[in-house]
Amino acid sequence: MTSNSIKLFDHYFNKIFAVSQLALLIAVIFEFINSSYYLASSLAGVFLVVGLGFLVLHNTRPIATLILLLVVHTCLATIIMWLYGGIHDEILIVYPLILIFAALLGSTKLMSFLFAFISMAILSNGFVNHYGFYQNSTQAINLQSAATVNLILLVIFVCSYFSAKSIKELIAKLIDENEKILQSKREIQKIVHQDALTGLPDRVKAEEKFMQLIAAQSSENNKVALLFVDLDDFKNINDNLGHQLGDKFLQLIATRIAGAIADVGSIYRIGGDEFIILLHCIYSTAEVQEISENISKVVSQPLTINDYHLSSCCSIGVSLIPDDTEDFESALKYADIALFQAKNAGRNHICLVNQKMIERTQYEFKLQEELRKSLRDELFKVHFQPKLDLVTNKIIGAEALLRWWHPTLGKITPTEFIPLAEKSGLIHELGFWVLEQSIKECIYWHKHGNKRLVIAVNLSPIQFNSPGFTKSVLQLLGRYGLSESFLELEITENLLIEQNEAQKYNINMLAAAGIKLVIDDFGKGYSNLAYIKKLNIHAIKIDYEFVKGMAISSDDRAIVTTIIDIAKRLGIESVAEGVETEEIASLLKQLGCKYAQGFLWSHALESTAFRQLLKEKN
Ligand code: C2E
Ligand code: MG
Ligand code: MG
């Protein structure tokens, strides 16, 4: 260890040695000028001994040189301490420096020895002075002592500078070396195409095997199946029990699957918890189904790691070769499409890809592209559907509903494009744009005589994921000068139940800022009442399906009656959406529902048409 440190710090050690020798030389001259000949000659002696020692020993025995340097300097400092000011002598500040170098370059033994020696020297000096056996002179503070202290400090300063510099250089070198090692490890992995964790071959090997299987495919009607296997909820294991345990879990699962398909296919790891399986010779989809079910079964069997009893399951997407494609990339993509369907169907599902699925995915992919373009080209429009007071029959506000007319694809409904905007992340930009248009429109109404109109804007749960969402809403209101109380945000029940930290934060902050939160499509989801009070919900919107059914179904009527009653008891407003007939409007009025919207009064209108309607009605 010691010789290693010296080797690593060799350059630095030479500098420190030179600095200490230079300081000694200055001290010799200094003392000589001061006529302290005795001290000057002692220092000169030390200078010569250490210098000679360095010349003779440095190349062959670096440790001995270090010991010589530190021991001689410790002795010198101790002698000076004893001869002059005792433990009040300024020379004492050399000790920490000596101990630091012993720690950096020498061994623990050397450091402990020096510490014990210094400690004893100080204690014994204190002892003899205390009991009067020996008396050190109390030195007057003068320019000479100040110069000595400064000289020692200068040596400490220069030595610390060199120490820090070489430690930093050393760390940079180590980081560099480490990166090189990692890089070569990655390159080796690439060459062998083997996953380091599970030992399974990787995607490149899967493609190679795929090509071989295609080439060898006979005309006997046999097929190849590509299975895309993804563990459900593996993230939970990683997040809750740590990556080490997660790694072990993956290794065990990989071994299990490999064992289950050993006779019929081969397995490859292509990502965190994603595996490809190639079934080499298949004659029917029933056979694929059976093998896939067997894989699901072995994955779901519980296992124990470090006393944790774990269980998981997997979703599987399948594409068939040559039925679906003969190209590896497409086979993988189609299996991935099927996997997505399997995941959507809930956990632990198997799904074989079909043409409809492929077309649907391709269409959705195209729509996502078009969404981006249309947002850029301003092809979206916000329409406004009036919300009425059932008693006065006056418009009290409106719901902003987004509209998209695509130049070639035609009218696309929000129920179709909103989920795609959510999937692609475009919902943030799109949602913000809707909010801005809505606030601007509301300001217009206020300026033209409808001062109490409230604008309701639908929000996607995804929009609540960004921690800065509330701030941007408040900034927008501030920019256009609309008070928080004129903005209603429509959210779904699911958001309230399954919220994450960012969503929770935004919901609370929005409510605290005085923005009205409305639960949309109430009754359709879990309808958990606890959060209504907890989150200071302003109103619930009774789902269209129940409202529509009121006229014909006693069940729906009972549900609507109950919802209105709950709202009344909780002191919040109820709004009925999707009112299409006078009959339903008067039923709602009888039940005590105060507000409603629906085609009975108006569809969602373009802003100019809505403004006209306002003029006529209010
Ligand atoms: P929603 O918020 O429940 O909006 C009400 C939907 O019911 C609207 O459909 C509206 O046109 C329709 N509607 C209103 N009155 C009647 C009626 O009397 N009868 C019938 N049959 N339908 C009626 P739309 O515009 O197609 O919107 C569907 C959903 O898309 C909305 O449901 C909302 O969840 C979502 N959406 C619309 N615009 C946006 C938006 O800007 N952002 C977000 N995140 N979602 C939006
Ligand atoms: Mg709504
Ligand atoms: Mg609704």
Side-chain angles (χ1 to χ4, degrees):
M1 173 66 194
T2 312
S3 62
N4 279 347
S5 341
I6 294 215
K7 257 186 242 157
L8 286 171
F9 290 102
D10 196 29
H11 186 52
Y12 149 71
F13 179 56
N14 291 350
K15 278 186 184 153
I16 292 196
F17 176 81
V19 170
S20 71
Q21 284 295 85
L22 186 66
L24 267 179
L25 203 60
I26 294 170
V28 170
I29 298 165
F30 197 58
E31 297 303 334
F32 194 79
I33 295 168
N34 266 328
S35 314
S36 304
Y37 301 119
Y38 179 63
L39 185 56
S41 47
S42 310
L43 293 172
V46 171
F47 176 82
L48 287 173
V49 170
V50 175
L52 269 173
F54 186 84
L55 287 176
V56 174
L57 296 171
H58 181 61
N59 284 335
T60 49
R61 303 184 60 195
I63 303 163
T65 325
L66 174 77
I67 295 173
L68 181 74
L69 179 76
L70 294 179
V71 168
V72 169
H73 278 276
T74 309
C75 291
L76 177 67
T78 309
I79 292 166
I80 293 173
M81 175 188 83
W82 273 86
L83 289 180
Y84 295 93
I87 56 174
H88 287 158
D89 199 285
E90 55 268 26
I91 196 72
L92 250 70
I93 45 176
V94 165
Y95 285 147
L97 183 67
I98 291 172
L99 289 175
I100 289 170
F101 287 128
L104 266 179
L105 300 171
S107 62
T108 319
K109 225 192 253 172
L110 177 64
M111 192 176 77
S112 311
F113 168 76
L114 289 173
F115 174 73
F117 180 84
I118 292 168
S119 191
M120 283 308 298
I122 289 171
L123 273 176
S124 51
N125 185 264
F127 181 83
V128 294
N129 274 280
H130 186 88
Y131 290 103
F133 299 130
Y134 176 80
Q135 210 66 50
N136 280 97
S137 57
T138 36
Q139 286 180 314
I141 297 174
N142 53 29
L143 268 180
Q144 189 189 338
S145 55
T148 311
V149 172
N150 259 334
L151 181 65
I152 300 169
L153 279 178
L154 187 66
V155 174
I156 295 177
F157 170 78
V158 176
C159 292
S160 310
Y161 169 77
F162 286 135
S163 315
K165 197 166 164 238
S166 48
I167 288 171
K168 280 178 194 160
E169 279 167 8
L170 197 67
I171 290 172
K173 215 163 124 188
L174 286 176
I175 291 174
D176 196 40
E177 290 294 325
N178 193 36
E179 186 44 46
K180 276 186 197 147
I181 292 168
L182 286 175
Q183 183 59 27
S184 48
K185 214 171 142 190
R186 279 193 288 266
E187 268 155 25
I188 292 168
Q189 222 90 63
K190 244 190 239 167
I191 295 163
V192 296
H193 290 300
Q194 196 180 36
D195 168 44
L197 181 68
T198 58
L200 291 178
D202 67 0
R203 185 195 156 107
V204 177
K205 286 278 167 199
E207 186 168 1
E208 265 174 37
K209 183 73 186 170
F210 182 93
M211 301 313 276
Q212 282 169 16
L213 292 171
I214 293 285
Q217 220 165 26
S218 66
S219 53
E220 288 170 34
N221 238 351
N222 66 327
K223 303 175 203 304
V224 172
L226 189 149
L227 276 60
F228 203 136
V229 182
D230 186 288
L231 300 184
D232 297 323
D233 292 339
F234 171 67
K235 196 176 171 294
N236 281 348
I237 296 181
N238 249 350
D239 290 351
N240 296 326
L241 304 174
H243 285 246
Q244 231 175 345
L245 206 131
D247 284 353
K248 190 99 194 90
F249 180 81
L250 275 178
Q251 285 167 338
L252 291 173
I253 290 291
T255 314
R256 277 189 183 178
I257 305 178
I261 53 112
D263 297 334
V264 287
S266 42
I267 173 169
Y268 309 83
R269 182 173 178 228
I270 59 160
D273 60 346
E274 293 173 344
F275 302 89
I276 290 178
I277 292 168
L278 290 171
L279 301 182
H280 300 171
C281 187
I282 290 293
Y283 288 94
S284 67
T285 48
E287 207 181 332
V288 179
Q289 187 72 29
E290 195 187 319
I291 297 170
S292 302
E293 275 167 19
N294 194 32
I295 293 170
S296 288
K297 209 166 96 192
V298 294
V299 171
S300 2
Q301 274 161 13
L303 49 82
T304 307
I305 308 172
N306 299 354
D307 296 332
Y308 288 106
H309 302 292
L310 306 174
S311 67
S312 177
C313 51
C314 64
S315 299
I316 304 176
V318 186
S319 63
L320 285 180
I321 300 99
D323 298 22
D324 298 319
T325 175
E326 290 192 22
D327 164 62
F328 177 73
E329 284 305 325
S330 306
L332 197 60
K333 196 169 79 191
Y334 295 164
D336 196 15
I337 289 173
L339 176 69
F340 185 73
Q341 293 296 324
K343 289 262 177 201
N344 268 355
R347 305 159 79 229
N348 207 10
H349 272 74
I350 298 158
C351 181
L352 271 74
V353 78
N354 59 42
Q355 203 49 39
K356 218 170 114 197
M357 236 181 251
I358 296 170
E359 276 163 17
R360 178 77 212 159
T361 310
Q362 279 164 349
Y363 175 68
E364 284 187 356
F365 188 73
K366 184 176 160 59
L367 272 194
Q368 282 193 23
E369 283 293 293
E370 293 303 319
L371 261 176
R372 220 174 291 274
K373 278 193 219 150
S374 293
L375 187 62
R376 189 194 57 206
D377 301 342
E378 298 182 1
L379 294 181
F380 285 98
K381 283 220 148 43
V382 180
H383 281 197
F384 302 92
Q385 184 178 40
K387 197 160 87 179
L388 281 96
D389 184 319
L390 282 170
V391 180
T392 62
N393 218 25
K394 293 264 182 246
I395 297 173
I396 51 126
E399 176 175 8
L401 292 162
L402 192 53
R403 296 290 175 256
W404 184 22
W405 277 279
H406 188 271
T408 53
L409 300 168
K411 184 181 167 186
I412 303 159
T413 65
T415 35
E416 191 163 10
F417 69 77
I418 293 285
L420 291 181
E422 288 177 338
K423 228 190 272 178
S424 62
L426 211 67
I427 191 72
H428 295 284
E429 212 179 319
L430 193 60
F432 195 74
W433 181 81
V434 174
L435 208 57
E436 186 167 17
Q437 302 307 309
S438 307
I439 290 173
K440 273 173 25 189
E441 187 62 22
C442 191
I443 290 284
Y444 178 93
W445 303 331
H446 286 195
K447 281 194 181 147
H448 292 81
N450 294 284
K451 290 199 167 33
R452 305 235 44 87
L453 250 57
V454 173
I455 182 72
V457 180
N458 290 285
L459 287 186
S460 149
I462 312 279
Q463 287 176 266
F464 286 84
N465 280 342
S466 88
F469 177 67
T470 304
K471 202 172 152 208
S472 57
V473 173
L474 296 178
Q475 273 172 353
L476 208 54
L477 286 169
R479 192 186 314 153
Y480 291 102
L482 183 70
S483 153
E484 284 80 5
S485 58
F486 292 111
L487 178 65
E488 282 183 3
L489 297 178
E490 296 195 4
I491 53 180
T492 55
E493 292 170 88
N494 292 0
L495 172 65
L496 298 176
I497 292 162
E498 294 163 10
Q499 51 193 278
N500 58 37
E501 282 310 311
Q503 291 173 330
K504 218 181 277 178
Y505 172 82
N506 280 317
I507 294 171
N508 288 326
M509 293 307 283
L510 286 167
I515 291 172
K516 292 171 177 152
L517 295 178
V518 176
I519 304 176
D520 205 353
D521 307 334
F522 190 83
K524 209 162 125 187
Y526 298 103
S527 304
N528 181 335
L529 299 174
Y531 54 70
I532 294 184
K533 273 277 91 166
K534 208 167 80 190
L535 285 169
N536 206 5
I537 296 294
H538 171 73
I540 46 183
K541 257 187 157 178
I542 312 164
D543 187 56
Y544 160 74
E545 292 293 332
F546 304 119
V547 175
K548 188 177 75 176
M550 273 178 85
I552 41 167
S553 151
S554 56
D555 282 352
D556 284 344
R557 213 165 30 243
I559 290 171
V560 175
T561 311
T562 312
I563 295 176
I564 294 169
D565 201 38
I566 288 170
K568 268 193 229 153
R569 283 168 198 272
L570 292 175
I572 59 176
E573 288 175 2
S574 54
V575 185
E577 63 178 357
V579 181
E580 292 181 353
T581 62
E582 286 289 359
E583 186 194 356
I584 290 178
S586 69
L587 262 175
L588 286 164
K589 213 159 110 182
Q590 278 168 30
L591 292 173
C593 175
K594 272 180 85 180
Y595 307 107
Q597 63 186 84
F599 294 165
L600 170 65
W601 298 284
S602 169
H603 282 74
L605 302 171
E606 240 187 291
S607 75
T608 39
F610 184 84
R611 289 171 190 180
Q612 186 58 36
L613 183 77
L614 270 181
K615 266 192 204 151
E616 289 160 15
K617 273 211 110 33
N618 281 23

